[in-house]
């Protein structure tokens, strides 16, 4: 495939960043964009050079030769948008959180498998060079057996009850928006937990604004994870091993720099100066997989996505967080 034709559904903040990164991704072309608003679609297409723009999400299938669609709508729409594209056998890269709950996630994965069409959660940090370096250091035994993970991700956005962060109708709250990052790091290096304990502060709109999570893993390691939209936190991460520590500097989820700290040795510093926001790498993974005829990424398997969705459901059960659309199903 010489040129890989991308479509985007939902033209908000992250769609702009993704489109900007696609422009710097070899072989990628933004071909089609779809919005609820035709004017926004036209302007977005003009800005990024897309040849097709639509004023309704479903119309994106009118575009010929689409190789994949990136779904960048609020959390409550991920399932609907993904199922629609998969039903038309269009490969999908769907933003995190993959869905509102495990029930939705299973439907999406089932449809991908039925249609034998590629599907991947847009967990972009999985494919960053820093993550690859971290996994390499761990595999080389540079820090020994992992004994614990500590990670926080917090910021204080303006309080907008209708916006996607605070609105339960859109699947809001800290956990699904940014809590997924500490959880991802912990489960990537330690595997799925055997025990989960979570506490939260539920704000006036009914979503979690501050959530603390402790995970116990198979080897006895503990993960201490914190996510909040109630206050700014340093947003750092540490992977503690028997013989050393990997420290991701703030803001850890962007993973642009990290240190390897070992007793009796000089600290080693790794810096990844990116000319892109970081979405290039997940886009390249999709392009590589789809071009090779794969229906999922070996680096981010759908079963791993499902396992983390189950974990999110368990945390939500413990903190008493449910969403209006779940109560009608
Ligand atoms: N990977 C990352 O680094 C990252 C970062 C931020 C967000 N995200 C994820 O990306 C998704 C979108 O986040 P965002 O920050 O781009 O949000 P945003 O700026 O609010 O944009 C979301 C877009 O979804 C569409 N939409 C459809 N129904 C909507 C509704 N009822 N209210 C608001 N928007 C609606 C709108 O696009 P149209 O008007 O064009 O239809 C809107 O522009 C979320 O799932 C979020 O978790 C990922």
């Amino acid at each position: 495939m010489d040129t890989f034709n991308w479509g985007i559904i939902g033209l908000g903040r992250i769609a702009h960043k993704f489109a900007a990164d696609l422009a710097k991704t070899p072989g990628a072309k933004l071909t089609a964009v779809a919005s609820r608003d035709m004017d926004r679609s036209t302007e977005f297409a003009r800005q990024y050079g897309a040849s097709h723009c639509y004023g309704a999400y479903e119309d994106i299938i009118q575009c010929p030769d689409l190789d994949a669609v990136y779904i960048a709508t609020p959390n409550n729409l991920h399932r609907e948008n993904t199922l629609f594209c998969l039903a038309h056998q269009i490969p999908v890269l769907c933003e995190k959180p993959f869905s509102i709950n495990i029930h939705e996630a299973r439907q999406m994965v089932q449809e991908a498998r039925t249609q034998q069409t590629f599907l991947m959660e847009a967990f972009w940090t999985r494919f960053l060079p820093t993550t690859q370096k971290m996994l390499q250091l761990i595999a080389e035994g540079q820090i020994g057996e992992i004994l614990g993970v500590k990670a926080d991700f917090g910021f204080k956005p303006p309080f907008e009850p209708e916006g996607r962060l605070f609105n339960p109708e859109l699947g809001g709250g800290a956990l699904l928006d940014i809590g997924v990052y500490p959880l991802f790091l912990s489960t990537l290096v330690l595997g799925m937990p055997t025990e989960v304990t979570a506490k939260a502060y539920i704000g006036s709109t009914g979503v979690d604004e501050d959530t603390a999570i402790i995970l116990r893993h198979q080897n006895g390691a503990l993960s201490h994870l914190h996510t909040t939209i109630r206050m700014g936190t340093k947003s750092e991460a540490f992977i503690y091993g028997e013989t050393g520590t990997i420290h991701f500097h703030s803001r850890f989820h962007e993973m642009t720099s990290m240190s390897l700290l070992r007793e009796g040795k000089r600290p080693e510093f790794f810096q990844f100066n990116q000319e892109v926001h970081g979405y290039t790498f997940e886009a390249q993974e999709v392009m590589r997989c789809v071009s090779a005829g794969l229906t999922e990424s070996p680096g981010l398997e759908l079963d791993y996505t499902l396992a983390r969705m189950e974990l999110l459901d368990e945390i939500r059960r413990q903190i008493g967080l449910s969403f209006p659309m779940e109560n009608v199903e």
Side-chain angles (χ1 to χ4, degrees):
M1 216 179 270
D2 290 340
T3 303
F4 193 99
N5 293 303
W6 281 92
I8 303 182
I9 287 180
L11 307 179
R13 269 167 295 213
I14 194 64
H16 277 277
K17 288 186 173 179
F18 187 81
D21 273 10
L22 273 191
K24 295 179 179 169
T25 306
K29 180 170 174 8
L30 180 59
T31 297
V33 294
S35 168
R36 299 166 300 172
D37 177 327
M38 193 61 207
D39 288 343
R40 181 159 32 248
S41 195
T42 308
E43 174 52 25
F44 197 102
R46 189 202 58 73
Q47 195 175 343
Y48 297 100
S51 47
H52 296 71
C53 56
Y54 304 99
Y57 297 155
E58 299 75 31
D59 291 348
I60 202 157
I61 57 157
Q62 292 171 16
C63 179
D65 305 327
L66 264 191
D67 294 309
V69 163
Y70 167 60
I71 290 170
T73 47
N75 308 345
N76 62 311
L77 294 179
H78 291 178
R79 167 178 59 173
E80 180 185 320
N81 300 151
T82 296
L83 291 179
F84 179 77
C85 291
L86 291 174
H88 293 86
Q89 297 192 316
I90 301 173
V92 170
L93 173 65
C94 177
E95 257 308 340
K96 43 58 57 182
F98 192 59
S99 59
I100 290 293
N101 56 32
I102 184 66
H103 168 72
E104 292 191 357
R106 284 202 189 109
Q107 273 185 289
M108 293 155 74
V109 169
Q110 179 61 49
E111 182 68 0
R113 289 179 175 159
T114 302
Q115 298 290 351
Q116 298 188 336
T117 300
F118 182 86
L119 173 62
M120 190 178 97
E121 177 187 15
F123 226 100
W124 60 296
T125 58
R126 172 65 185 85
F127 302 102
L128 291 176
T130 330
T131 304
Q132 315 299 10
K133 184 70 191 174
M134 167 196 78
L135 293 174
Q136 182 201 324
L137 293 174
I138 292 170
E140 288 170 358
Q142 302 277 3
I143 61 168
E145 186 187 354
I146 300 173
L147 303 180
V149 169
K150 194 157 113 187
D152 72 289
F153 190 172
F155 70 108
K156 189 172 166 52
F159 179 64
E160 294 165 356
E162 299 300 319
R164 70 171 187 83
L165 290 179
F166 291 94
N167 188 346
E169 301 277 352
L170 304 183
L175 178 67
L176 291 200
D177 190 52
I178 52 176
V180 292
Y181 286 102
L183 282 166
F184 186 81
L185 181 67
S186 156
T187 57
L188 183 63
V189 300
L190 279 166
M192 299 311 295
T194 52
E195 270 180 68
V196 185
T197 308
K199 298 280 178 209
Y201 171 85
I202 304 291
S204 58
T205 61
V207 303
D208 69 305
E209 294 184 9
D210 189 19
T211 300
I213 304 159
I214 294 182
L215 306 180
R216 184 192 298 280
H217 302 269
Q218 195 79 50
N219 68 347
L222 297 177
S223 292
H224 304 237
L225 312 174
H226 178 210
T227 182
T228 176
I229 51 172
R230 209 175 177 213
M231 62 202 94
T233 69
K234 194 144 186 212
S235 302
E236 286 183 300
F238 300 85
I239 301 171
Y240 297 107
E242 267 179 314
T243 57
T245 298
I246 295 173
H247 174 194
F248 286 100
H249 307 149
S250 181
R251 299 186 317 161
F252 90 85
H253 78 295
E254 288 163 349
M255 292 188 165
T256 47
S257 70
M258 66 181 179
S259 304
L260 173 63
L261 311 166
R262 287 168 300 173
E263 245 175 67
K265 294 192 176 168
R266 270 172 200 273
E268 282 184 58
F269 182 73
F270 302 91
Q271 176 86 42
F272 292 83
N273 285 323
Q274 294 165 7
E275 307 229 323
V276 288
H277 296 293
Y279 306 106
T280 295
F281 305 102
E282 63 174 357
Q284 281 173 325
E285 175 67 3
V286 174
M287 292 160 65
R288 188 187 70 77
C289 291
V290 171
S291 303
L294 302 181
T295 52
E296 59 185 284
S297 161
L300 190 51
E301 291 176 344
L302 291 170
D303 283 344
Y304 178 41
T305 292
L306 289 176
R308 278 178 296 105
M309 285 310 305
E310 265 177 339
L311 177 57
L312 287 172
D313 274 14
E314 172 56 20
I315 294 168
R316 291 202 299 121
R317 189 190 66 74
Q318 291 189 22
I319 65 177
L321 173 64
S322 66
F323 299 111
M325 65 292 236
E326 295 181 295
N327 302 330
V328 294
E329 278 187 18

